[in-house]
Amino acid sequence: MRGTLRIYLGAAPGVGKTYAMLGEGRRALARGRDVVVGLVETHDRPRTAELLDGMEIMPRKIVHYRGTDFAELDTDAVIARAPAIALVDELAHTNAPGSRNHKRWQDIDEILAAGIDVVSTVNVQHLESLGDVVEQITGVPQRERVPDEWVRRADQVQLVDMAPEALRRRMAHGNVYGPAMVDAALSNYFRVGNLTALRELALLWVAGKVDEQLDRYRADHGISATWEARERVVVALSGGPEGDTLVRRAARIADRSKGADLLAVHVTSADGLTSGADPANAARQRTLVESLGGTYHQVLGDDVPRALLEFARGVNATQLVLGASRRGRFAQILAPGVGVETTARSGSIDVHMVTHEGVRYGRRHGDRTALTLRRRIAGWTLALAGMPLLTAGLLPFRPNLALPSEILIFLLLVVGVALAGGMWPALTAAVLGFGLLNWFFTPPFQTLNVADPENLLALAIFTLVAAMVSAVVGQAARRSVEASRARADAEVLSTLAGHVLRGDAALPSLLARLLEVYSLTSATMLEKDGDEWRIVATAGGPPSAVPEVVVDGDLGLAVQGRTLDAADRRVLEAFAAEAAVALRQQRLREEASSSAALAETDKMRTALLAAVSHDLRTPLASASAAVDSLRGTEIDWSPEDRAELLDTAHESLNKLDRLVTNLLDMSRLQAGVLGVAPEPVSAAEIVHRALADLGVSKLVAVEIPPGLPPLTADPVLLERVLVNLVGNAVRYGDVVVSASRHGDRVEIRVVDHGPGIPAEAHERVFQPFQRLGDRSAHKGVGLGLALSRGLTEAMGGTLTPEETPGGGLTMTVSLGTAG
């Protein structure tokens, strides 16, 4: 039997997920349950570590990778121990290379499969569906992610919530990170705005999980009645022009309740024919619904009230918005209509009947004739000429034919008329056939009297059957044509949607597709500019400046080549609506791209000015003070003092030189004009030159084995890379520089044991002018790591950060070997 999974979900690090998990474990232990700690990360938080006292902790599995040992969850040991409950922290964690599973949640899945209950933790930023959203909010990419579906399958998901201000106080008191990282964290990832947005994401995700559990419970227990746990407003759309009014009214109703859902539904007949819906209206209304934060749905059903209510109850709707009927009073007497039927069956769902402009005009029937003019002429000709000719042909055989046979022959002709010309010619043929049969073939002949009552009954049945057959055949013919039209329209609209999804070239592609579909000579997208129409995009021959279809008053579509019929015009309106959407999307992308570029440029300029001003001011001030002191005559400096002042000036000028060189190299990198001269070089030689340049040879341990093959690099650029990396690392005490061979590459690692950098910020440190945790906003230009990665990649290598086991950061430079 599979174990149960309980997950504590938090909005950000430090809200207390691990603490809550351990508290649950201790409570279970007090109840006599067999509980073990599979793996818990305390992050040096004393109150969290205290909860581990007295609990059985499973030894971790050591994984060896590239000369480094990593401690991971020992899944096999936990399964072999077979406790009732296992506590496993950080389910989104990525295991060290060489582990059986890539992710820790996969390890947990194996433990659950062994019948062991698991309690685990995860932050909302690690959910796969929210990774991009979190990156947009915080600016930090999320490398460790877990599939939402796997988390949703958990038996329990409990939110660990904390107000942003409370979490920031915890951080300020040193309860989350060490003192060295507090200021940087509070000013970057843990800003109030970021934490508020992450908290909302976590609440919404858990709310969705609760909705799923509620729906599953109602389905399992056969509960169809609405439970008003949350307001859900459903608006029914018919594809008519009144849909815009209904959507806006439903949105206002939903806005009155905070967090209410808006859903629009259109019921399509089960045969798939939607002749009553205007594609242009449907496309526009779908866009309107989505712009108001709602969702659009389409369901099948011949019984519209029943389909609407089944959908509403299925989504646990509380309110249903319908448009007032456009049917006349006489029609409403014969049949109550969708609104009345829906209201009568709605039960606990509130139904709003919304009046609209279309009510005063009543229902506008479209062209109900589905047959071509040629077929209708053929039908009328066959009805008016065929019946007399058939009568003339049968008269010589009247003595040999019985009345039932004559009726069947006439009925056959009526069916033929119905197939050729539709219902009305067939009904005319049926009435005409009744008269001819009565006059020529029913005794007494050539009179309207019928002597035998059975003959009168036969003639009456003939007329009724002929009328019924005419109606059925006519309807079938209309449905056949409608089906063909619907299929063609669906193919066109499907292709249209696919072109819209293609992106940047959507608008030209749409116009070109329109030319192909309707054999037009030109198609032009127009935009209102004052009183004139301005051409936005065109395809085909000379464009037209007179719009055929207008969308939202300021955009229009003009076509030339042939006159379109009413049905084609409706699809043309859908084309125009989608073309308008494509145009707006294209402009939004352009504006977003332009805004992003400007914002990035402005951000870069601001950071550069702030950082460079400090880096320039400090060494300039030191050099200037030293030179002024040497030039002064008031003090007689000793040789030692003069040497010290000269050293200060020299060091300050060297700092300025490095700053200017870094800026120039970064500009060359971004312009793609940096010169690289690769050659075989010795890793040991370059490392020692870099340490000598920094003057820190005695502070750095070098571990480079003899016999290491030379690597291919530009010696000057590689030395610059190592100077930057080691210069960053020596701020935190002991540093180790090691090198080793891995296949056809040589890796040089700069290892420190400082506070390190959070895994989610590893890539951010390579952006120019970024300082994370180790430096304030005014202590350096922040170009070192960005320049180091750029130089390394220019030489065909890679620069990647890793966490140092036991704390700290390891920077690994990987380059190819010579030969």
Side-chain angles (χ1 to χ4, degrees):
M1 181 177 179
R2 186 177 176 84
T4 61
L5 174 62
R6 180 171 185 172
I7 296 175
Y8 285 94
L9 174 70
V15 295
K17 302 179 305 299
T18 304
Y19 191 87
M21 179 187 70
L22 290 173
E24 173 65 22
R26 295 192 72 87
R27 288 190 293 273
L29 196 63
R31 293 194 298 269
R33 302 291 302 277
D34 184 12
V35 181
V36 301
V37 176
L39 186 145
V40 164
E41 300 290 355
T42 64
H43 300 289
D44 297 324
R45 296 167 189 166
R47 293 187 60 192
T48 303
E50 287 175 4
L51 292 179
L52 289 172
D53 292 343
M55 300 188 73
E56 180 182 351
I57 301 176
M58 299 294 297
R60 300 192 185 189
K61 181 179 181 180
I62 303 302
V63 179
H64 303 282
Y65 179 69
R66 294 187 176 181
T68 303
D69 293 340
F70 298 90
E72 299 289 356
L73 172 67
D74 194 337
T75 307
D76 294 330
V78 174
I79 294 174
R81 169 64 175 77
I85 301 175
L87 309 181
V88 182
D89 206 4
E90 297 182 358
L91 63 85
H93 169 78
T94 301
N95 292 330
S99 302
R100 182 167 67 234
N101 294 315
H102 180 56
K103 294 286 188 178
R104 185 169 292 164
W105 63 265
Q106 295 170 322
D107 295 333
I108 294 175
D109 208 47
E110 290 188 11
I111 296 173
L112 292 170
I116 301 170
D117 296 345
V118 175
V119 184
S120 189
T121 65
V122 70
N123 280 330
V124 71
Q125 68 262 28
H126 297 301
L127 297 174
E128 183 67 43
S129 65
L130 300 178
D132 295 340
V133 179
V134 173
E135 181 177 353
Q136 183 180 5
I137 293 171
T138 64
V140 179
Q142 303 301 317
R143 302 300 175 188
E144 295 184 328
R145 300 188 183 182
V146 59
D148 290 60
E149 181 59 30
W150 191 85
V151 179
R152 289 187 186 279
R153 289 202 305 265
D155 299 274
Q156 297 181 58
V157 177
Q158 182 167 332
L159 179 65
V160 182
D161 191 27
M162 179 175 288
E165 295 78 8
L167 179 55
R168 286 172 59 84
R169 283 197 301 271
R170 286 197 66 198
M171 297 198 63
H173 294 156
N175 295 330
V176 179
Y177 292 143
M181 301 180 63
V182 170
D183 290 339
L186 289 175
S187 60
N188 288 282
Y189 192 90
F190 288 85
R191 295 193 299 269
V192 172
N194 287 359
L195 296 177
T196 303
L198 292 173
R199 187 187 189 196
E200 183 177 11
L201 285 177
L203 290 168
L204 290 174
W205 195 94
V206 173
K209 168 71 173 175
V210 172
D211 278 344
E212 291 180 4
Q213 292 177 324
L214 179 60
D215 291 342
R216 187 161 55 247
Y217 178 85
R218 294 174 70 238
D220 293 342
H221 292 79
I223 300 172
S224 59
T226 300
W227 286 6
E228 298 185 17
R230 183 198 295 188
E231 288 288 345
R232 286 186 175 85
V233 182
V234 174
V235 53
L237 302 177
S238 65
E242 74 281 357
D244 298 51
T245 302
L246 301 182
V247 170
R248 292 188 176 94
R249 180 58 185 276
R252 290 196 297 273
I253 294 173
D255 286 341
R256 294 171 189 165
S257 300
K258 186 68 175 176
D261 294 332
L262 173 64
L263 302 93
V265 60
H266 173 62
V267 179
T268 305
S269 59
D271 56 15
L273 304 179
T274 56
S275 56
D278 189 324
N281 289 337
R284 184 180 65 254
Q285 290 158 16
R286 180 172 193 154
T287 302
L288 177 60
V289 169
E290 292 172 350
S291 69
L292 293 172
T295 56
Y296 185 92
H297 307 267
Q298 187 164 316
V299 298
L300 297 178
D302 289 323
D303 187 344
V304 175
R306 179 179 178 181
L308 283 177
L309 291 173
E310 285 180 350
F311 174 83
R313 293 191 178 106
V315 298
N316 203 23
T318 56
Q319 303 189 61
L320 182 59
V321 178
L322 301 173
S325 176
R326 290 180 293 176
R327 301 163 71 244
R329 294 182 180 179
F330 181 73
Q332 293 184 37
I333 293 173
L334 296 177
V338 173
V340 176
E341 287 286 343
T342 304
T343 304
R345 305 183 201 172
S346 62
S348 60
I349 300 176
D350 296 335
V351 179
H352 301 262
M353 298 295 296
V354 179
T355 187
H356 50 85
E357 190 68 20
V359 174
R360 73 165 69 174
Y361 302 110
R363 181 182 293 273
R364 295 184 179 181
H365 293 281
D367 182 11
R368 301 293 293 173
T369 303
L371 303 176
T372 63
L373 178 62
R374 180 178 298 178
R375 288 187 61 180
R376 295 199 300 272
I377 292 175
W380 283 110
T381 302
L382 189 59
L384 298 177
M387 282 296 177
L389 290 175
L390 178 61
T391 302
L394 289 178
L395 280 175
F397 303 99
R398 185 171 63 183
N400 301 321
L401 292 174
L403 182 61
S405 299
E406 294 162 345
I407 289 177
L408 288 175
I409 294 173
F410 271 79
L411 182 60
L412 181 63
L413 179 59
V414 172
V415 173
V417 173
L419 290 173
M423 182 175 66
W424 292 110
L427 289 176
T428 303
V431 173
L432 186 58
F434 174 85
L436 292 174
L437 282 169
N438 185 10
W439 186 268
F440 292 104
F441 299 99
T442 305
F445 301 120
Q446 297 180 352
T447 67
L448 295 178
N449 297 325
V450 179
D452 189 346
E454 290 186 5
N455 292 340
L456 180 61
L457 178 62
L459 289 175
I461 292 175
F462 159 77
T463 307
L464 180 61
V465 171
M468 293 172 62
V469 169
S470 301
V472 171
V473 172
Q475 185 181 22
R478 286 196 304 273
R479 288 299 182 92
S480 176
V481 173
E482 289 173 358
S484 299
R485 167 68 66 178
R487 183 172 60 252
D489 290 350
E491 292 176 356
V492 170
L493 293 174
S494 174
T495 304
L496 172 127
H499 280 72
V500 171
L501 293 174
R502 289 185 183 180
D504 295 337
L507 185 56
S509 181
L510 275 176
L511 297 178
R513 179 61 179 165
L514 186 60
L515 297 182
E516 297 174 5
V517 172
Y518 294 113
S519 302
L520 301 171
T521 58
S522 73
T524 306
M525 194 70 190
L526 304 171
E527 185 174 26
K528 200 71 174 288
D529 186 7
D531 295 330
E532 302 292 332
W533 287 97
R534 179 173 58 86
I535 296 175
V536 176
T538 187
S544 170
V546 180
E548 187 83 16
V549 177
V550 177
V551 183
D552 295 341
D554 58 349
L555 294 174
L557 182 63
V559 296
Q560 291 190 111
R562 71 180 183 88
T563 303
L564 302 178
D565 59 29
D568 290 338
R569 205 183 150 76
R570 291 192 341 190
V571 180
L572 180 66
E573 291 174 350
F575 261 98
E578 293 294 347
V581 171
L583 176 62
R584 293 190 180 101
Q585 289 178 343
Q586 178 179 326
R587 289 179 173 175
L588 285 174
R589 281 193 297 269
E590 292 171 354
E591 291 177 4
S593 177
S594 175
S595 299
L598 289 174
E600 189 63 29
T601 301
D602 185 64
K603 179 181 177 182
M604 188 78 73
R605 184 185 297 111
T606 302
L608 177 62
L609 290 174
V612 171
S613 64
H614 178 275
D615 275 21
L616 286 172
R617 189 184 305 115
T618 301
L620 275 176
S622 299
S624 178
V627 172
D628 287 343
S629 299
L630 290 172
R631 292 181 60 189
T633 58
E634 294 83 359
I635 301 176
D636 185 15
W637 301 103
S638 66
E640 294 79 7
D641 292 336
R642 294 179 63 84
E644 185 176 351
L645 289 172
L646 287 172
D647 288 341
T648 300
H650 179 71
E651 183 181 353
S652 299
L653 292 174
N654 281 340
K655 288 182 179 179
L656 282 175
D657 180 66
R658 284 196 294 269
L659 171 63
V660 173
T661 303
N662 281 347
L663 289 171
L664 290 175
D665 283 346
M666 180 58 71
S667 65
R668 292 191 188 102
L669 274 174
Q670 293 180 342
V673 295
L674 180 70
V676 180
E679 60 182 67
V681 297
S682 167
E685 179 184 350
I686 298 297
V687 168
H688 287 296
R689 280 167 49 182
L691 298 181
D693 186 34
L694 284 170
V696 295
S697 299
K698 297 180 179 180
L699 303 176
V700 178
V702 179
E703 299 176 357
I704 299 179
L708 191 69
L711 47 84
T712 302
D714 185 313
V716 177
L717 297 185
L718 181 56
E719 182 181 345
R720 293 280 309 286
V721 170
L722 294 176
V723 165
N724 282 328
L725 296 180
V726 176
N728 282 337
V730 293
R731 297 190 184 96
Y732 308 111
D734 296 337
V735 175
V736 177
V737 178
S738 63
S740 59
R741 178 176 183 174
H742 295 275
D744 59 350
R745 302 187 73 81
V746 171
E747 292 186 351
I748 302 175
R749 287 177 293 279
V750 179
V751 183
D752 69 61
H753 295 279
I757 297 174
E760 60 268 18
H762 278 177
E763 289 301 313
R764 189 179 172 192
V765 297
F766 293 107
Q767 299 176 15
F769 317 117
Q770 296 295 318
R771 290 162 294 274
L772 297 177
D774 58 332
R775 304 170 70 182
S776 72
H778 302 287
K779 288 187 180 178
V781 73
L783 273 177
L785 292 179
L787 180 61
S788 297
R789 171 170 277 189
L791 295 177
T792 303
E793 292 177 349
M795 294 183 290
T798 60
L799 173 59
T800 55
E802 299 175 359
E803 293 183 6
T804 302
L809 186 68
T810 298
M811 287 291 185
T812 302
V813 179
S814 177
L815 292 163
T817 58

